[in-house]
Amino acid sequence: MPEMIPADSVGLVTAQTMRFDDPLQLECGRVLAEYALIYETYGELNAQGSNAVLICHALSSDHHAAGYHSMDDNKPGWWDTCIGPGKPIDTRHFYVVCLNNLGGCKGSSGPATMNPETGKPYGPDFPVVTVKDWVNSQRRLAEALGIEQWAAVIGGSLGGMQVLQWSIEYPDRIRHAVVIAAAPKLSAQNIAFNEVARQAILADPEFHQGRYYEHDTQPRQGLMLARMLGHITYLSDDSMRAKFGRELREGKLNFGFDVEFQVESYLRYQGRAFVEHFDANTYLLMTKALDYFDPASQCGDSLSLAMKQVTASFLVVSFTSDWRFAPSRSLEIVKALLDNNKKVSYGEIEASQGHDAFLMPIPRYMELFSAYMARVVEEVR
Amino acid sequence: MPEMIPADSVGLVTAQTMRFDDPLQLECGRVLAEYALIYETYGELNAQGSNAVLICHALSSDHHAAGYHSMDDNKPGWWDTCIGPGKPIDTRHFYVVCLNNLGGCKGSSGPATMNPETGKPYGPDFPVVTVKDWVNSQRRLAEALGIEQWAAVIGGSLGGMQVLQWSIEYPDRIRHAVVIAAAPKLSAQNIAFNEVARQAILADPEFHQGRYYEHDTQPRQGLMLARMLGHITYLSDDSMRAKFGRELREGKLNFGFDVEFQVESYLRYQGRAFVEHFDANTYLLMTKALDYFDPASQCGDSLSLAMKQVTASFLVVSFTSDWRFAPSRSLEIVKALLDNNKKVSYGEIEASQGHDAFLMPIPRYMELFSAYMARVVEEVR
C-alpha cells in the first residue's frame, strides 16, 4: 500500500456508473434494453471538450487504469505507468476516460449482473458482445460525458482493436488512434489458444452451463487453467527464461506432480489469484470478442479497403518479443494506413517481455509514446 | 485401410513382448522389480549383429513405428514415412527396433498395467520414469535381442532426447546418433505448457488421484484439453493459417460457444480422438520425463562437458518453423559436439509445418536423412 501517493500519480480516484436505458442493438442481432457502464476519469475536460482521451482495456482489465481507490490499495490502476502528470498520457493536459466494457465483471453490465427480465444474473444469457458493440456503447458514454470527439483513443492488445474499430466506425469522432501490441484480427493459432481456454471453462463441472452463480459456485479450475495458458502467451520465451529459467522451487526434483519448477509455482499462483477477482462467463465473452474481430472481413478481406474512410492520425507500436501479436501483425495495420495515404507513426520497440511489454515502463516506449502524445497536446491548445 | 500394402512398406508386422525380472533401479530412487516392454522389429539382424537401429518415440507415440498390424488397418505406424525398403531407415539394410517406453500405455509396463504388489493397476504408484531410465531399459532390451552396439539410435522430439542420453550414457553402444527436432532440455515456456496440460488432467474430477481405472472412468476432459494444447505447440502459426485460416465451419458467426472456426473443430476432434487411445497417467509421466531431461545439469550446466565422452557421430536436424524446439535449440547440441571435436552433420530444414515436420516426408529432409543413413549402411557392410 502506498504510504504516500507518488507525485506523478493521478491520486485517489473513484469510479462512477452511468446507466443507459436507450436500447443498444448488438451485432449478434439481440438488443440490450438497458445497461450500465462503470468508468473512471482523470484530469479535467476543457471548456471546448477537446482534450478527452479514451482508454480501451484488454481482455482481463477494467476501468481502473490509474491512481488508487484508497490509501490501503497496494497497487495502482493497470496502466498507471502511462497515465498521470508527466506521463505519456499526461493528465495535466488530458481528460482521460476509461470504462469497464459491456460483458465485463467489474461493475458494467455483464453475465454476473442482474438480468432485468428474470431478476437473476444473466449468466449465459448475456449476449455475445463484439468490439463493434463496445465501441457503440463507448460512443454513448462519450455523448453522456459531453465529448463529441476524442483527442485520442488509446489501447493495447484487445484495447488496440477497439481503437481500430473507433477509427473505422466513427472517423469524425477520433483525431488520434494509438494502437499498441495489437493485430487487425486473430490468427488461427490465437483462436486455438482461446478455444482451449474456453473448453477448460466449459468443461469444468462447476460451470453448470454458465449458471454457476445460482449454484453458489464457480468454475475455478477451468478459469485458472485458462489464465495459466493465457499467461504463457503474454510472456516471451526469453522473459520466462530470464525470470524462471529451470529453477527448482526446492532445489531438487521430487519425482511427483506437485510444484517443482519456479515457473509452475508462478503460473499456479497467477491462475489462483485471477480466479478470486474475475468471472468465467466474462472470460468467455472477452475471448469471443477477440476471435470475432476482423474489420477486413466486411471488405473482401482487404484491411486497406476497410480503413479507407479513416481520418485519424495513427501511432502504432509493437514489441520485438511479442509472439501473441508479433510486430508483423502491427505492420499489417501500418500497411493498410499507408495504402490509403493516412498519417501513421510506427515504433517497433526492442523488448524482451513479450506481449506484456505494452504495460511496462520501457524507456524507449515511454519516450515514443510521450513524444506522440505531446503532439496531440499541441493540437488541443 | 490399405487395399494393397505399398511396395515401400515393411508390410504386416506383429508386436512382441519381452518380460524382465531383473529389478531396474530408477532415477527417482525406486526399483521396478519386474516389467514388460512391447516392441516391434523390421528387417533382419545380420550375423555380426551390427546393423541394428533403435527408434525412440516421442511423447504420445509407441512401438508401432512402421507397417500395418492387419489388412484392416487404415493407417501405418507413426514413422512409416521414414522406415521401410528404400526409405531413410532402409529395412533392406537395417534391423529396426522400436519399443513402447516404460510408463507407456500401449503394452509396456505403465500406470494402466497390473502392479504385482497389489494386483490392481499401478495408477499413480507407477514411478516417475526419466529419459535415463528409458535408456537403461532399452539397453536391457538390446542385450536380450543380442545387440551389443546400435548402428544408430534415432529419434525426434522427446525421442531425440533419448538419443542424446544414449550417446552420453553408453558411448560404446552407439555408433550414430540421429537427433531430430529436439532440445538438450526444456525451456521455462516448454515446462509451462506441460504444467498447464498436467493441471488440466489433475484437476479433472474423473482423475480420482490417478485411480480412475478402479472407478471405471477416465479424466477425458483433462486429457482432451492437454492434447489440444499440445497440438497447438506442434503446429506452426503459419501451418495453422494455411490449414485453417479464419475459416468458419458454417460460413457465419453463431455468437455462441459451439464450434465456429475450423481450427476449433480440428482441435476438438484431435482432443477427442486422442482420449480414445491414450492414458492420462502416461501423459503425466511423459511430460515429466520431458521436463526433467537436462544432461548438462550434472556438469555445471555445461552441455559440452556432459558430452565429453560421446563417441557417436551425429546427425542433428531442425525445422525452421518449429517453435516448440526451435533450430537454435538444436544448435546448442551441435555446439556442444563441436566444442568436443565430435563428428556432427547439421541440417536446418525449411519447413512450414512446425514441430510436426519431423514426422513428414519433406523432400529435403528425406534426402538429408537418407544420405546420412546411406553412410551408416556403408560402415555396416
Side-chain angles (χ1 to χ4, degrees), chain B residues 12 28 41 84 138 149 170 175 219 231 241 292 313 330 351 377:
Chain B
L12 288 175
C28 64
T41 69
Q138 289 161 2
Q149 187 186 55
Y170 298 113
R175 287 201 300 283
H231 217 87
R241 186 172 299 121
Y292 282 4
S313 300
S330 285
V377 170

Side-chain angles (χ1 to χ4, degrees), chain A residues 28 128 185-189 195 198-199 205 229 237 245-246 255-256 260 264 268 288 291-292 294, chain B residues 28 128 185-189 195 198-199 205 229 237 245-246 255-257 260 264 268 288 291-292 294:
Chain A
C28 64
V128 170
K185 64 183 174 195
L186 293 201
S187 69
Q189 189 188 71
E195 168 66 2
R198 280 191 295 265
Q199 285 298 315
L229 177 54
D237 194 12
R246 293 175 50 89
F255 297 97
E260 293 199 288
E264 297 173 316
R268 288 193 202 179
K288 271 290 172 188
D291 287 5
Y292 282 3
D294 184 9
Chain B
C28 64
V128 171
K185 64 183 174 195
L186 294 201
S187 69
Q189 189 188 72
E195 168 66 3
R198 280 191 294 266
Q199 286 297 314
L229 177 54
D237 193 12
R246 292 175 52 87
F255 297 97
F257 296 100
E260 292 198 289
E264 297 174 316
R268 288 193 202 179
K288 270 292 172 188
D291 287 4
Y292 282 4
D294 183 9

Side-chain angles (χ1 to χ4, degrees), chain A residues 2 6 9 11 64-69 73-81 87:
Chain A
S9 169
H64 183 38
Y68 300 84
H69 281 159
D73 269 1
N74 55 12
K75 59 178 188 175
W78 58 269
W79 219 12
D80 199 77
T81 47
K87 294 178 183 173

Side-chain angles (χ1 to χ4, degrees), chain A residues 15-299:
Chain A
Q16 291 171 271
T17 300
M18 186 89 71
R19 295 182 191 283
F20 298 83
D21 52 15
D22 44 343
L24 185 69
Q25 174 68 51
L26 303 172
E27 259 199 289
C28 64
R30 292 173 57 192
V31 172
L32 265 186
E34 52 184 283
Y35 57 97
L37 295 175
I38 191 168
Y39 65 99
E40 290 183 4
T41 68
Y42 323 115
E44 299 291 329
L45 188 63
N46 64 16
Q48 312 90 302
S50 65
N51 69 333
V53 166
L54 175 68
I55 309 294
C56 301
H57 72 70
L59 197 144
S60 61
S61 41
D62 53 35
H63 56 287
H64 183 38
Y68 300 84
H69 281 159
S70 81
M71 292 302 285
D72 293 335
D73 269 1
N74 55 12
K75 59 178 188 175
W78 58 269
W79 219 12
D80 199 77
T81 47
C82 290
I83 303 166
K87 294 178 183 173
I89 303 165
D90 193 328
T91 47
R92 294 172 304 184
H93 306 297
F94 292 116
Y95 174 64
V96 179
V97 178
C98 184
L99 76 159
N100 184 213
N101 279 328
L102 267 183
C105 55
K106 298 304 175 73
S108 290
S109 295
T113 62
M114 200 192 73
N115 181 347
E117 287 177 25
T118 65
K120 291 181 189 171
Y122 278 102
D125 298 328
F126 198 87
V128 170
V129 283
T130 65
V131 169
K132 191 172 181 174
D133 296 330
W134 285 338
V135 167
N136 285 335
S137 67
Q138 289 162 2
R139 185 184 61 85
R140 292 199 179 171
L141 178 65
E143 282 170 0
L145 294 172
I147 299 159
E148 284 189 21
Q149 187 187 55
W150 298 103
V153 181
I154 303 175
S157 193
L158 176 54
M161 292 173 167
Q162 294 161 60
V163 179
L164 266 184
Q165 187 65 33
W166 262 101
S167 75
I168 292 168
E169 189 86 3
Y170 298 113
D172 297 341
R173 293 172 178 269
I174 164 176
R175 287 201 301 280
H176 290 271
V178 180
V179 176
I180 306 172
K185 64 183 174 195
L186 293 201
S187 69
Q189 189 188 71
N190 294 144
I191 294 174
F193 278 122
N194 280 347
E195 168 66 2
V196 177
R198 280 191 295 265
Q199 285 298 315
I201 293 169
L202 295 169
D204 188 318
E206 300 299 318
F207 182 63
H208 297 289
Q209 281 80 46
R211 304 204 186 278
Y212 47 88
Y213 320 102
E214 298 165 42
H215 293 77
D216 202 23
T217 182
Q218 51 172 324
R220 293 178 60 87
Q221 292 292 354
L223 184 57
M224 179 176 159
L225 284 170
R227 178 60 169 185
M228 289 170 74
L229 177 54
H231 217 87
I232 299 176
T233 70
Y234 305 151
L235 302 179
S236 70
D237 194 12
D238 278 351
S239 65
M240 286 188 116
R241 187 173 298 122
K243 222 166 171 168
F244 313 109
R246 293 175 50 89
E247 292 302 310
L248 291 162
R249 193 145 166 257
E250 295 171 11
K252 62 173 180 57
L253 299 177
N254 290 325
F255 297 97
F257 297 100
D258 286 339
V259 156
E260 293 199 288
F261 293 96
Q262 290 291 6
V263 65
E264 297 173 316
S265 167
Y266 172 80
L267 280 181
R268 288 193 202 179
Y269 174 81
Q270 291 289 337
R272 285 203 192 101
F274 187 67
V275 169
E276 298 308 319
H277 65 85
F278 211 82
D279 178 67
N281 279 321
T282 288
Y283 202 88
L284 293 175
L285 289 180
M286 296 284 156
T287 61
K288 271 290 172 188
L290 271 166
D291 287 5
Y292 282 3
F293 184 67
D294 184 9
S297 67
Q298 303 299 313
C299 301

Side-chain angles (χ1 to χ4, degrees), chain B residues 116-135:
Chain B
E117 287 178 24
T118 64
K120 290 182 190 168
Y122 278 102
D125 298 330
F126 198 88
V128 171
V129 284
T130 65
V131 169
K132 193 173 180 172
D133 296 329
W134 285 338
V135 168

Side-chain angles (χ1 to χ4, degrees), chain B residues 128-342:
Chain B
V128 171
V129 284
T130 65
V131 169
K132 193 173 180 172
D133 296 329
W134 285 338
V135 168
N136 285 334
S137 66
Q138 289 161 2
R139 186 184 60 85
R140 291 199 179 169
L141 178 65
E143 282 170 359
L145 294 172
I147 299 158
E148 284 188 22
Q149 187 186 55
W150 299 104
V153 181
I154 303 175
S157 192
L158 177 54
M161 291 174 168
Q162 295 162 58
V163 179
L164 265 184
Q165 187 64 33
W166 263 100
S167 76
I168 292 169
E169 189 88 3
Y170 298 113
D172 297 343
R173 291 173 178 268
I174 164 175
R175 287 201 300 283
H176 290 272
V178 180
V179 176
I180 306 172
K185 64 183 174 195
L186 294 201
S187 69
Q189 189 188 72
N190 295 144
I191 295 173
F193 278 122
N194 281 346
E195 168 66 3
V196 177
R198 280 191 294 266
Q199 286 297 314
I201 293 169
L202 295 167
D204 189 318
E206 300 299 319
F207 182 64
H208 297 289
Q209 281 80 47
R211 303 202 186 279
Y212 46 88
Y213 320 103
E214 298 165 41
H215 293 77
D216 201 22
T217 182
Q218 50 172 325
R220 292 178 60 87
Q221 291 293 353
L223 184 57
M224 179 177 160
L225 283 171
R227 178 60 169 185
M228 288 171 75
L229 177 54
H231 217 87
I232 300 176
T233 71
Y234 304 151
L235 301 179
S236 69
D237 193 12
D238 279 350
S239 65
M240 287 187 113
R241 186 172 299 121
K243 223 167 171 165
F244 313 109
R246 292 175 52 87
E247 292 302 310
L248 290 162
R249 193 145 166 256
E250 296 171 12
K252 61 175 180 57
L253 299 177
N254 291 324
F255 297 97
F257 296 100
D258 286 339
V259 157
E260 292 198 289
F261 293 97
Q262 289 292 7
V263 64
E264 297 174 316
S265 167
Y266 173 80
L267 281 181
R268 288 193 202 179
Y269 173 82
Q270 290 289 338
R272 286 206 191 100
F274 187 67
V275 168
E276 297 307 319
H277 66 86
F278 210 82
D279 178 67
N281 279 319
T282 288
Y283 202 89
L284 292 175
L285 289 178
M286 297 283 159
T287 60
K288 270 292 172 188
L290 271 165
D291 287 4
Y292 282 4
F293 184 68
D294 183 9
S297 68
Q298 303 298 313
C299 301
D301 280 333
S302 165
L303 187 63
S304 301
L305 214 56
M307 298 192 75
K308 214 173 180 60
Q309 311 305 328
V310 163
T311 56
S313 300
F314 271 71
L315 170 63
V316 178
V317 181
S318 69
F319 300 91
T320 50
S321 61
D322 184 353
W323 63 279
R324 185 177 172 87
F325 297 141
S328 59
R329 309 304 315 279
S330 285
L331 283 169
E332 293 173 30
I333 300 167
V334 173
K335 183 183 177 300
L337 288 162
L338 293 177
D339 284 347
N340 288 301
N341 283 313
K342 307 296 180 191

